[in-house]
Amino acid sequence: MRVLALLLRVLALLWLAGAAQATPPPPQHLDDTGLFEAGSSTAVRPENLAFAPQYELWSDGAAKRRWLYLPPGASIDASRPDAWEFPPGTKAWKEFSQGRRVETRLIERLPDGAWRFVAYVWNAEGTQAVLAPEAGIAALPVAGAPRGRYTIPSRSDCLACHEGAEVPLLGFSALQLARELERLAASGRLRNLPASLLASPPRIAAPSESARAALGYLHANCGHCHNHTGPLAATGLAFAQQAAAPQASAERTLHSLSSAGTSVDVVRRVRSSNPYVRMPPVGVSLIDAKNVALIESWIRHDLRLPLEPYP
Amino acid sequence: MMPRTALPLIAAALLAAPAYADEAKLARGKYLVTIAGCNDCHTPWKMGAQGPEPDMSRMLSGHPQDFALPPAPKPEGPWTVSAAVTNTAWAGPWGVSFTANLTPDRETGLGKWTQRNFTETIRTGRHMGRGRPILPPMPIPMYKHFTDADLEAIFTYLQSIPVVKNRVPEPLPPAK
């Protein structure tokens, strides 16, 4: 018995070692990641599903496109509606344009279940995108970007946002794809989604459309770092909304804003151009004026929280 | 067969082991904090009989909140960095940085931090691993090479030192 167990363990270890070795490094060129048809840098393969979250992250006004790939026959397990389980082999791309295509990011779930984050930088002609260095690029000259400079985040910056929530994929979720859920479930690529969420698509709990938009903005721009389960939970700010518990998550957000000085601090930080104060602390150099006004007005008029004094 | 009397002894030793491990970790943490020079910058200096020395009554509590400073001299020529007399505030091309309160105070120090927050701060050079960049002269480029075990020991020790309530000011951006 014992010998057999030992043998099995050795075999398992060998298999694991093999699997670890089998993970090749990320391709040098975006062309080799499976996004486009062979020989093309524009025609997206039909098996890559285009998607758009209903609440977007502000990225200095960049235009963005996104796609998801699941391996043949594999599907997403949605038993936990706010923490979907993606199969190994899943890939997601996000393309950023500032006047022209500048960057395409890729998140991939590897065979061992680990997640890998990389970025590809487009040449000025838009014909080829090459793997960016691990440290990112602080100031890439791009005529259409604010002040003519574009920042490619480092891989550790990807983790700052993408590993602060329960699942690294942030925009492909029940709440973000509310209106698409039925189609996804019908395609067989999404399993075990609670029937109640199919019957009535998830919606942020709010008394008005502007309040819902404000909560949605905080969810997409802050909730991946500031939530009640992740590494910053103890700081007491909870901005993530949940498809399975809309009321409770909205209340948590209102509660965290109501503690002394927090609403003032939120507004001060989202409208600050000081990089040491501004929120979010990564990925932004230009203030999102329209949505800052939305947050400010929601806090002042809907929540009736005092906003004075801020500098 | 093991003599029966040995069993309780072994059990006691096993139960006590975690306590010993904690103590060893604390001692290791204290040693690392001492020799890595954290006090040089995070404990305000005062004038002693032999000249400037760290004021250990305010151990590791960072730049004193009530010590207001005039604007820093303009960084010029090869003399680009200046430090305040407490050795807790520096002006340079990055603006002005103030050393953080490393005591376990919940509101102004590291009291709410988890081991993960601390380890990620040192590894990534970002506040709590995901916030603003940690500015010079905090030696992140060197300290990020601490092993996980060393960072655990350091954090364990920092969480055991006396609480000092001291709200360190926010850093100032470089003058435009």
Side-chain angles (χ1 to χ4, degrees), chain A residues 117-200:
Chain A
F117 300 81
V118 291
Y120 293 88
V121 190
W122 285 93
N123 59 7
E125 299 75 41
T127 53
Q128 200 180 47
V130 180
L131 186 68
E134 193 153 348
I137 302 175
L140 187 72
V142 173
R147 291 179 283 273
R149 292 280 180 275
Y150 183 93
T151 303
I152 308 277
S154 70
R155 291 194 202 149
S156 104
D157 286 354
C158 312
L159 304 187
C161 289
H162 281 274
E163 294 208 327
E166 276 194 86
V167 196
L169 292 191
L170 299 173
F172 203 91
S173 68
L175 182 70
Q176 287 283 30
L177 298 178
R179 285 177 295 265
E180 304 288 318
L181 292 180
E182 207 177 341
R183 204 162 54 91
L184 266 173
S187 76
R189 303 323 284 281
L190 189 66
R191 282 180 299 118
N192 302 333
L193 187 74
S196 58
L197 291 179
L198 277 180
S200 66

Side-chain angles (χ1 to χ4, degrees), chain A residues 156-157 159-164 224-225 230-232 234-236 265 268-269 273-277 279 281-282, chain B residues 93-96 106 112-114 116-117 120 124 126-133 135 170-174 176:
Chain A
S156 104
D157 286 354
L159 304 187
C161 289
H162 281 274
E163 294 208 327
H224 40 280
C225 286
L232 297 186
T235 54
D265 203 25
R268 179 180 77 102
R269 287 175 183 265
S273 55
N274 176 348
Y276 305 155
V277 166
M279 286 288 150
V282 250
Chain B
W94 61 87
V96 181
R106 285 186 65 77
K112 285 185 187 164
W113 284 37
T114 60
R116 177 175 175 185
N117 294 149
E120 288 186 345
T124 64
R126 284 191 176 277
H127 192 85
M128 302 184 93
R130 16 187 62 78
R132 64 173 178 81
L135 301 171
E170 274 170 1
L172 307 174
K176 293 223 177 77

